[in-house]
Amino acid sequence: MGDAMKIDTQLPRNQAEALLANLREQYRLSLNELWYADRYRYVPNEDRHNQILANTPVMAAQKRLIGAISHSLKAVK
């Protein structure tokens, strides 16, 4: 990732948890919608998630952000 960006922020725990819940829900809704889309109909189930992420940059970013927030919340406990 030669053009990667690093984003550093501080959030109160309640805001981080709310953001995480919102990101998870948005991700779930988007994945459910795309999973059954005609575009991915013939992509095997085991490859479909990765194919969707490869074609949908916002979902790939959401997935990374969900992981980062989850990790941070566990580390702060």
Side-chain angles (χ1 to χ4, degrees):
M1 276 195 235
D3 62 344
M5 299 180 72
K6 181 177 179 180
I7 301 170
D8 186 23
T9 188
Q10 291 183 352
L11 296 172
R13 184 171 196 85
N14 66 332
Q15 289 180 9
E17 289 171 345
L19 178 58
L20 180 60
N22 180 267
L23 285 168
R24 284 179 171 158
E25 182 63 10
Q26 287 178 9
Y27 188 86
R28 184 190 69 78
L29 291 171
S30 296
L31 184 60
N32 190 52
E33 180 181 330
L34 290 171
W35 190 268
Y36 298 103
D38 287 340
R39 179 178 185 176
Y40 301 104
R41 179 179 306 224
Y42 298 110
V43 176
N45 283 352
E46 59 271 8
D47 299 330
R48 197 174 296 179
H49 186 233
N50 288 335
Q51 188 69 41
I52 290 170
L53 290 180
N55 295 328
T56 315
V58 70
M59 286 185 66
Q62 285 173 326
K63 186 172 190 259
R64 292 180 68 91
L65 190 52
I66 287 168
I69 294 172
S70 295
H71 177 75
S72 293
L73 286 170
K74 289 176 187 170
V76 173
K77 278 189 174 180

